[in-house]
C-alpha cells in the first residue's frame, strides 16, 4: 500500500481561537490513520451544550484552536490495517459520539463498560472534533446506523440520546414502572420518547407549564410544575425512577418525597450546585441517588435498534454549515427545540 499524501491527512474544519471567539475556517494535519482507527466523512453533526462549554472553556480543559462536535454521522472512507474484518466497511454509515476510543484492555473495557475506562478518549477533549469534513475514531466506537434510523437527525442520539437511554438498561427500568423526567429540553425530550416506547407511565416535570402540550405530545402522560410544592406533594410516594436532565437547582427533598419505596433519583444533567439531601428520607424508603455519563458501544447499538423499531428520532433544527456560528448562538440563547444539527455539505 502506498504511503498517504499530506493532502489526504489534511482535514478542513471550523475552530475557535479562544474563549468566546467565533468559529473560523481551519485546517490541521491529522497524521497517518492509526491501525485501529476508521476515518469518517461527516455528513451531519449535532451541536450540544457540551460543545458550548468547551468552546468557552467553562471546564478549564479546552485546548485552542478548538474544533467542537461530538454527535457525528457520516460514511466510512478509510479503515486502518488492524480495523479491517471488524464488521465495518468503506461506505457504511456510522455515528461517533462523546467518546472516540478507549484502551480495550482494562477491566471496565473487558466488562463492556468502555465508557468508564480510565483512559477513555473524549472526542473533543485533546482532539479536534466533528465540525470538520472528516474525523477518526477507534473502530469499536464507530456505531453503524441500522435501517430505519433517520440519518439526518441521528447525530444527537450519540450523546444526548445515549445519556438518557443507558440508565434504562443500567438500572433495570421496567415497563411497569412509573417514571419522572425533570427538564424537558435537549435531553429530556428524548427521555420522554424513550420511556413512552419502553412502556412506562411517564411524568414530565418542567419549570414552564407552557411546554405542557408539547410534553404530552412527546410521550408524557402527565405534566407537573417543578417548583409547585403542592403538586409535588400530590404524587408523594408514586415514582419508581426519576431522571434529572435539568441543570437547575431544585428542592431535591421534595423529589425524594415523590419516590416510591426502593425508588431512585438519577442525575444525567449537570446540576450547578451541590445537591443537599436529608439522609433519613433515603433510609426510610430505601431510596437511591445516582448519576451516569453516556454509554458503551454495545448500549449505543441497542439504543439505535430501539429507535429503529419504534421510529424514535430527536426533535431537531437544521443549520447549513455556512451558518455554523448562527447555530451555536441559537443554542447559546436557549432557542433550540430541542437539538441543533449542522448539515455539513450544505
Amino acid at each position: 500500500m502506498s504511503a498517504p499524501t499530506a493532502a489526504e491527512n489534511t482535514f478542513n474544519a471550523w475552530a475557535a481561537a479562544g474563549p468566546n471567539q467565533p468559529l473560523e475556517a481551519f485546517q490541521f494535519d491529522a497524521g497517518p490513520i492509526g491501525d485501529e482507527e476508521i476515518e469518517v466523512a461527516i455528513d451531519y453533526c449535532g451541536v450540544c451544550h457540551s460543545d458550548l462549554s468547551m468552546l468557552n472553556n467553562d471546564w478549564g480543559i479546552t485546548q485552542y484552536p478548538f474544533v467542537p462536535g461530538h454527535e457525528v454521522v457520516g460514511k466510512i472512507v478509510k479503515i486502518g490495517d488492524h480495523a479491517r474484518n471488524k464488521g465495518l466497511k468503506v461506505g457504511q454509515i456510522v455515528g461517533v459520539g462523546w467518546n472516540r476510543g478507549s484502551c480495550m484492555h482494562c477491566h471496565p473495557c473487558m466488562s463492556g463498560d468502555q465508557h468508564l475506562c480510565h483512559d477513555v478518549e473524549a472526542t473533543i477533549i485533546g482532539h479536534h472534533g466533528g465540525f470538520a469534513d472528516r474525523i477518526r475514531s477507534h473502530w469499536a466506537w464507530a456505531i453503524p446506523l441500522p435501517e430505519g434510523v433517520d440519518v439526518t437527525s441521528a447525530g444527537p442520539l450519540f450523546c444526548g440520546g445515549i445519556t438518557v437511554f443507558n440508565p434504562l438498561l443500567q438500572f433495570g427500568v421496567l415497563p411497569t414502572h412509573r417514571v419522572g423526567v425533570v427538564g424537558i429540553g435537549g435531553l429530556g425530550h428524548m427521555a420522554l420518547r424513550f420511556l413512552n416506547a419502553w412502556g412506562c407511565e411517564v411524568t414530565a416535570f418542567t419549570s414552564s407549564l407552557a411546554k405542557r402540550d408539547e410534553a404530552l405530545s412527546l410521550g408524557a402522560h402527565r405534566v407537573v410544575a417543578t417548583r409547585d410544592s403542592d403538586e409535588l406533594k400530590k404524587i408523594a410516594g408514586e415514582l419508581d425512577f426519576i431522571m434529572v436532565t435539568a441543570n437547575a437547582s431544585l428542592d431535591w427533598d421534595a423529589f425524594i418525597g415523590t419516590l416510591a419505596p426502593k425508588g431512585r433519583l438519577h442525575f444525567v444533567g449537570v446540576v450547578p450546585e451541590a445537591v443537599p439531601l436529608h439522609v433519613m428520607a433515603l433510609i426510610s424508603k430505601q431510596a437511591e441517588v445516582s448519576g451516569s455519563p453516556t454509554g458503551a458501544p454495545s448500549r449505543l447499538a441497542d439504543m439505535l435498534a430501539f429507535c429503529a423499531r419504534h421510529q424514535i428520532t430527536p426533535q431537531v433544527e437544521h443549520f447549513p454549515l455556512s451558518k455554523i456560528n448562527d447555530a451555536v448562538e441559537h443554542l447559546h440563547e436557549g432557542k433550540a427545540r430541542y437539538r441543533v444539527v449542522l448539515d455539513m455539505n450544505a
Side-chain angles (χ1 to χ4, degrees):
M1 185 173 66
S2 60
T5 66
E8 287 178 339
N9 294 323
T10 300
F11 289 13
N12 300 300
W14 289 77
N20 303 302
Q21 297 297 307
L23 294 162
E24 298 180 342
F26 172 70
Q27 286 189 331
F28 65 95
D29 183 357
I33 189 169
D35 287 340
E36 297 283 337
E37 289 185 322
I38 57 93
E39 184 174 302
V40 178
I42 303 171
D43 293 315
Y44 302 95
C45 188
V47 185
C48 175
H49 275 282
S50 296
D51 291 314
L52 300 186
S53 296
M54 286 293 291
L55 269 170
N56 297 325
N57 200 22
D58 292 342
W59 301 334
I61 57 175
T62 306
Q63 300 174 27
Y64 297 97
F66 171 67
V67 179
H70 59 275
E71 297 179 341
V72 167
V73 173
K75 299 180 183 68
I76 296 176
V77 293
K78 195 180 295 184
I79 300 177
D81 289 342
H82 295 171
R84 301 181 190 279
N85 302 315
K86 303 293 187 181
L88 300 175
K89 58 186 179 181
V90 171
Q92 190 170 15
I93 299 174
V94 298
V96 178
W98 177 254
N99 295 318
R100 68 180 296 276
S102 53
C103 78
M104 294 298 174
H105 60 76
C106 69
H107 189 270
C109 281
M110 297 302 290
S111 301
D113 290 322
Q114 293 90 343
H115 63 302
L116 301 180
C117 171
H118 179 73
D119 295 319
V120 67
E121 296 180 39
T123 299
I124 59 171
I125 298 177
H127 305 91
H128 292 312
F131 287 10
D133 59 351
R134 287 172 287 166
I135 196 170
R136 290 176 183 162
S137 79
H138 188 282
W139 64 265
W141 285 94
I143 315 301
L145 267 67
E147 185 176 349
V149 172
D150 177 29
V151 174
T152 69
S153 62
L157 292 172
F158 287 87
C159 180
I162 188 60
T163 297
V164 297
F165 184 84
N166 187 54
L168 309 189
L169 298 173
Q170 188 74 34
F171 299 107
V173 174
L174 300 175
T176 53
H177 280 166
R178 295 162 295 180
V179 179
V181 176
V182 182
I184 311 308
L187 293 175
H189 91 280
M190 285 188 278
L192 293 181
R193 286 182 166 170
F194 282 136
L195 287 162
N196 183 281
W198 205 258
C200 300
E201 179 186 290
V202 187
T203 298
F205 293 97
T206 176
S207 60
S208 174
L209 288 181
K211 290 184 179 180
R212 181 181 182 279
D213 290 343
E214 190 162 18
L216 293 173
S217 71
L218 289 166
H221 297 99
R222 64 179 172 185
V223 180
V224 175
T226 54
R227 300 183 188 277
D228 190 328
S229 59
D230 290 336
E231 289 298 308
L232 292 175
K233 289 177 182 177
K234 288 180 182 178
I235 58 172
E238 290 191 9
L239 301 178
D240 300 292
F241 190 92
I242 299 174
M243 187 184 301
V244 181
T245 71
N247 58 357
S249 297
L250 298 170
D251 184 351
W252 301 115
D253 277 324
F255 280 95
I256 291 290
T258 69
L259 289 175
K262 296 186 178 182
R264 179 183 293 270
L265 180 67
H266 185 73
F267 290 87
V268 295
V270 181
V271 176
E273 299 172 356
V275 176
L277 294 170
H278 289 97
V279 173
M280 185 56 73
L282 300 176
I283 292 174
S284 63
K285 59 176 65 180
Q286 202 173 313
E288 298 178 85
V289 178
S290 54
S292 63
T294 55
S298 62
R299 294 289 169 85
L300 279 156
D302 289 340
M303 174 196 66
L304 293 172
F306 188 78
C307 288
R309 184 177 306 142
H310 295 281
Q311 292 82 53
I312 295 174
T313 58
Q315 185 171 313
V316 304
E317 298 178 79
H318 286 269
F319 282 76
L321 181 60
S322 60
K323 300 290 186 182
I324 190 169
N325 285 299
D326 293 341
V328 170
E329 186 63 22
H330 186 71
L331 180 62
H332 176 72
E333 292 177 353
K335 296 179 179 178
R337 290 294 182 271
Y338 282 100
R339 304 291 291 200
V340 172
V341 172
L342 291 171
D343 295 355
M344 303 303 291
N345 299 312

